Amino acid sequence: MTTTQVVNPATEQVVTTLELLGAAETDAAIERAQRAAAGWREVAPGDRARLLRRFAEAVDANLEQLARLEVANAGHTIGNARWEAGNVRDVLHFAAGIPERLLGNQIPVAGGVDITFHEPLGVVGVIVPWNFPMPIAAWGFGPALAAGNAVVLKPAELTPLTAIRLGELALEAGVPEGVFQVLPGKGSVVGQRFVTHPAVRKVVFTGSTEVGKQIMAGCARQVKRVTLELGGKSANIVFADADLERAAATAPYGVFDNAGQDCCARSRILVQRSVFDRFLELLEPAVRGVRVGDPADEATEMGPLISASHRARVASFIEPSTKVAFTGTQPDGPGFWYPPTVVLPDAPSDRLLTEEVFGPVVAVVAFEDEADAVRIANDTEYGLSGSIWTNDVGRALRVSRGVEAGNLSVNSHSSVRYWTPFGGFKQSGLGRELGPDAALAFTETKNVFIAT
Ligand code: NAP
Ligand code: MG
């Protein structure tokens, strides 16, 4: 069996060594899931709801432990990690409301009765990246389980620990054996098997656009259902009429949260030219003021990057010719640190404006007017999130409708809410997670006509 070392990115110390599943073990787990799914779909809605509520309560009772695990494994700040574990609990409580509300339609027809059912798919495979191991896992497994599916979940190789713990908590809460299995392993082995194994009827993938395209192509062979949550290059658009002080004070947190390893990171700041210089003056102290350091420290606002190789990738974006406006701080000593960095690209084709850095690097560019702002915001293959700062409500709405992205916030950098839909336009993804329709992504609609 292959093993992997789990490393604390803030200290570079080995946290634990873990066995990775091979192809045969993955197949065995998928077959267990298939058998378990047959029983799970027959569990009465109220009982399925109660088990999910118990699972949520088990997560809540272990919230601090889960948060500490994420601090050690992913270098997330303790404040963020507590929010993330709390988000799993909340997603499960929300999901617990689904089984009894999975309503079909009764459609008027001649000569009989027509009704629709939302049938579970069977086995759902969830593939999770390393940047938000807990929430992204729960957005898949919560509604999938609620809709009556069994779930096999592959955590990222770098960050498997909280997912493994969540799998244990599900069992402790009484979720039947085989209904929810966590399978640590390589993407090319375990993840790939979710794509190719015919018993897996849907793949929920969150990760890079590059791998997402391969997953989609692979799923096409079996016409397998797929939801993709991919990369982003989101714009934070600041108009001259906005509260500039607030826009500048909050901009760092819209991009440097989780050290910029956030698909929703507002990694392009678009500022109206008349206030461009003033905005940069206000941004500089805000960026220098971001508290970067030990993620276990309650006051810390930004931790390290996930790995040495990821840090090297982030650093490769800053070339000798790059105009760096200013940077924030980073601690000395071990850890995969990178300081908050603000750059001023010259040309729209600059990699810093077109590619996802997935680190604490933000590019600031000027725009002339509303139309120009929307044009620049949309000048990307991505379309995940974004922010709009203005005190003109008409403009806020016009620009919100104009920007091609799935999740926008006005005068804020809103994070994801489990009861509102989340997902991307263009190459940022396919399908939606969370929100009122969360369960429908894990069911097939069946129409039945009964002659009377
Ligand atoms: P990644 O390399 O695409 O990996 C994501 C997951 O896919 C990991 O679990 C990985 O396993 C697995 N995987 C890799 N190759 C695979 C294959 N051939 N078949 C099946 N599974 C495979 O992405 P990452 O570097 O971990 O994460 C960063 C990316 O995720 C960024 O681009 C970011 O924007 C995106 N993201 C998007 C969202 C969103 O909601 N839109 C949210 C968070 C992150 P291993 O760990 O073993 O490689
Ligand atoms: Mg990768």
Side-chain angles (χ1 to χ4, degrees), residues 122 163 216 349:
M216 190 174 176
S349 60

Side-chain angles (χ1 to χ4, degrees), residues 377-450:
N378 289 340
D379 187 17
T380 166
E381 284 309 317
Y382 293 116
L384 191 55
S385 77
S387 301
I388 297 145
W389 290 79
T390 175
N391 280 328
D392 176 338
V393 71
R395 166 174 287 158
L397 281 169
R398 283 192 304 273
V399 176
S400 295
R401 297 300 299 272
V403 173
E404 298 161 344
N407 302 83
L408 296 169
S409 49
V410 174
N411 295 330
S412 67
H413 303 294
S414 145
S415 58
V416 184
R417 296 181 182 83
Y418 57 84
W419 65 102
T420 60
F422 177 73
F425 279 34
K426 302 194 277 189
Q427 293 194 28
S428 282
L430 186 74
R432 291 293 178 274
E433 297 189 281
L434 305 172
D437 299 329
L440 298 185
F442 297 102
T443 59
E444 291 287 2
T445 300
K446 179 184 286 172
N447 190 71
V448 178
F449 169 75
I450 306 160

Side-chain angles (χ1 to χ4, degrees), residues 217-243:
C219 285
R221 291 173 184 276
Q222 296 170 14
V223 196
K224 190 172 290 197
R225 277 68 181 135
V226 62
T227 296
L228 302 173
E229 297 287 359
L230 310 175
K233 192 73 199 176
S234 299
N236 175 10
I237 309 172
V238 182
F239 285 95
D241 68 13
D243 179 343

Side-chain angles (χ1 to χ4, degrees), residues 127-132 136 139 154-158 185-188 191-192 195 205-209 211-212 214-215 229-232 262-263 356 358 384 422 428 433:
I127 302 174
V128 181
W130 47 258
N131 64 329
F132 288 108
I136 291 172
W139 303 349
K154 194 204 90 65
E157 225 182 305
L158 294 171
K186 288 187 181 300
S188 56
Q192 190 53 31
V195 173
F205 173 83
T206 303
S208 60
T209 296
V211 176
Q214 292 170 28
I215 302 262
E229 297 287 359
L230 310 175
D262 183 341
C263 51
E356 184 179 49
F358 225 54
L384 191 55
F422 177 73
S428 282
E433 297 189 281

Side-chain angles (χ1 to χ4, degrees), residues 56-360:
E57 283 153 13
V59 170
D60 194 49
N62 290 272
L63 193 142
E64 189 63 20
Q65 184 205 33
L66 286 163
R68 296 276 164 198
L69 261 184
E70 207 66 281
V71 172
N73 189 167
H76 289 197
T77 63
I78 181 66
N80 278 9
R82 286 188 187 122
W83 182 90
E84 292 158 17
N87 183 253
V88 177
R89 172 203 56 211
D90 295 344
V91 168
L92 281 167
H93 274 303
F94 184 66
I98 289 173
E100 294 139 316
R101 294 174 180 80
L102 204 48
L103 308 179
N105 286 321
Q106 176 267 310
I107 300 170
V109 288
V113 174
D114 191 284
I115 48 177
T116 62
F117 296 91
H118 298 296
E119 303 286 12
L121 302 172
V123 179
V124 171
V126 181
I127 302 174
V128 181
W130 47 258
N131 64 329
F132 288 108
M134 282 193 277
I136 291 172
W139 303 349
F141 71 68
L145 293 172
N149 302 281
V151 171
V152 284
L153 184 140
K154 194 204 90 65
E157 225 182 305
L158 294 171
T159 56
L161 299 187
T162 48
I164 292 170
R165 185 69 190 123
L166 288 170
E168 295 167 356
L169 290 172
L171 282 176
E172 287 171 25
V175 174
E177 199 96 33
V179 167
F180 175 46
Q181 300 176 80
V182 175
L183 313 177
K186 288 187 181 300
S188 56
V189 178
V190 180
Q192 190 53 31
R193 206 56 195 124
F194 291 2
V195 173
T196 57
H197 198 301
V200 177
R201 307 304 287 271
K202 169 158 191 169
V203 174
V204 178
F205 173 83
T206 303
S208 60
T209 296
E210 184 195 350
V211 176
K213 287 176 185 174
Q214 292 170 28
I215 302 262
M216 190 174 176
C219 285
R221 291 173 184 276
Q222 296 170 14
V223 196
K224 190 172 290 197
R225 277 68 181 135
V226 62
T227 296
L228 302 173
E229 297 287 359
L230 310 175
K233 192 73 199 176
S234 299
N236 175 10
I237 309 172
V238 182
F239 285 95
D241 68 13
D243 179 343
L244 274 196
E245 277 73 18
R246 255 189 69 219
T250 57
Y253 303 96
V255 58
F256 301 144
D257 189 59
N258 204 30
Q261 303 166 121
D262 183 341
C263 51
C264 290
R266 278 71 165 168
S267 55
R268 295 182 297 153
I269 307 181
L270 281 41
V271 185
Q272 197 152 17
R273 193 175 302 281
S274 57
V275 294
F276 188 83
D277 292 341
R278 176 69 186 135
F279 181 84
L280 276 184
E281 268 170 36
L282 292 166
L283 183 64
E284 181 164 355
V287 168
R288 294 197 196 282
V290 175
R291 286 185 291 248
V292 183
D294 178 5
D297 183 335
E298 305 273 342
T300 295
E301 294 175 321
M302 189 182 118
L305 293 171
I306 191 69
S307 66
S309 66
H310 187 56
R311 178 175 58 184
R313 188 179 172 273
V314 169
S316 75
F317 278 87
I318 309 294
E319 289 165 25
S321 60
T322 305
K323 246 189 246 164
V324 176
F326 40 84
T327 61
T329 63
Q330 69 168 85
D332 302 323
F336 310 125
W337 303 100
Y338 199 83
T341 301
V342 178
V343 298
L344 304 172
D346 287 322
S349 60
D350 192 311
R351 280 178 79 205
L352 286 157
L353 287 173
T354 59
E355 292 179 31
E356 184 179 49
V357 179
F358 225 54

